[in-house]
Every structure is written in C-alpha cells, then in structure tokens.
Amino acid sequence: MSREISDVLTNEALPKTEATITIRVIKSFEYRTERSLVLHKLNLETTTIASIQSLSTNSAVQAGPAWRPYRNTVLDTFKIYTKAHGAKTTNLIINLDHDEWILDDGRKILADAGFENETEVSFFNRQAYENFKLNPEIRWDVMS
C-alpha cells in the first residue's frame, strides 16, 4: 500500500456520475440553524435541481426522525455555497455574495449548474434569505 500523497484534487477524484455533494439545510439564518445532508454516488450529468430538492425533502427532512425540527420550514431554493478548493465565505451557513449562484431552474442538470464532486449547496426558504440579506444580524450570540 502506497503512502504517497495523491496529486488528484477531490473535485476530480470521482467522475461526475458518482459525485458526493453536501446540502446545508437551513432552518434559521439568524440563529445559524442548519443540518447537513450528504449525498453519495450522485450522477451530476442526469440529476436535476428539482430531483435533489425532492430527494432532500422527501427522503431526509420528511422521513428522518433527526430532521423533525426542519419539517415546518418551507424549503424552496438552492444556492451554491462553495466548491472543492474554492474560497469560502465568512458566513457559516450561506454565501451572501453571488446571487447568480441561486439555482432557480428546477429542470437544470447539476453538472450544467456548475456542480462538481464535493460541491456544497445551501437549501433554504427564499423569503427568509431575502429578509436576512436586508438585516444580516445573528441572534444566537445576543443576550436577552
């Protein structure tokens, strides 16, 4: 077994037909409440935004007992958070820059939307996001 470090980048380590992506399901922007859902062996060349939305909502949020606090949250929007080896934002749950990374077209194929292996995407309520952008105040660290 070789102990050498590989020169292959993680976003190129797997083909687009067997990618791993992380979905950051956001309940509250103000309180930084989020839970990550990791999807393995995802075919980015055939999977659409609408299908991962359905998979995330129906297979995880609505079915898993650990997701109970998220069931009353209307999740309707995806936005790319970061890609492997890309710069990360200072906000811990969503990238407030680059509104062009919001994925509005549910028919769009993930590869065509810029997804690669190890892409992280935020899944959230669009109206809550717009309200948070107007006043990006974090409340979880404020004493009452």
Side-chain angles (χ1 to χ4, degrees), residues 22-28 33-37 56-57 60-61 67 70 73 75 78 93 121-124:
T22 301
I23 299 173
R24 305 161 70 81
V25 181
I26 300 170
K27 179 175 173 59
S28 169
T33 310
E34 69 90 18
R35 184 173 175 93
S36 294
L37 171 65
S56 302
T57 303
V61 176
W67 292 92
Y70 292 78
T73 304
L75 301 166
F78 279 102
I93 61 170
V121 62
S122 298
F123 188 28
F124 54 92

Side-chain angles (χ1 to χ4, degrees), residues 39-96:
L39 301 177
H40 300 281
K41 298 191 183 277
L42 200 61
N43 187 338
L44 303 179
E45 296 175 343
T46 59
T47 306
T48 63
I49 292 167
S51 63
I52 64 164
Q53 182 174 2
S54 176
L55 178 67
S56 302
T57 303
N58 298 330
S59 298
V61 176
Q62 294 302 321
W67 292 92
R68 187 164 303 192
Y70 292 78
R71 290 185 186 153
N72 63 351
T73 304
V74 177
L75 301 166
D76 57 12
T77 305
F78 279 102
K79 182 178 183 184
I80 293 176
Y81 179 74
T82 189
K83 296 180 188 179
H85 310 291
K88 289 195 176 189
T89 178
T90 57
N91 190 299
L92 299 177
I93 61 170
I94 194 157
N95 185 335
L96 291 174

Side-chain angles (χ1 to χ4, degrees), residues 24 26 28-30 32 77-82 87-102 120-122 124-138:
R24 305 161 70 81
I26 300 170
S28 169
F29 293 100
E30 294 82 7
R32 290 185 179 164
T77 305
F78 279 102
K79 182 178 183 184
I80 293 176
Y81 179 74
T82 189
K88 289 195 176 189
T89 178
T90 57
N91 190 299
L92 299 177
I93 61 170
I94 194 157
N95 185 335
L96 291 174
D97 300 328
H98 302 290
D99 275 350
E100 68 273 12
W101 291 357
I102 291 176
E120 292 185 33
V121 62
S122 298
F124 54 92
N125 178 278
R126 180 70 177 265
Q127 187 58 52
Y129 170 75
E130 297 298 339
N131 293 341
F132 183 70
K133 277 189 71 173
L134 294 174
N135 184 21
E137 180 179 317
I138 304 298

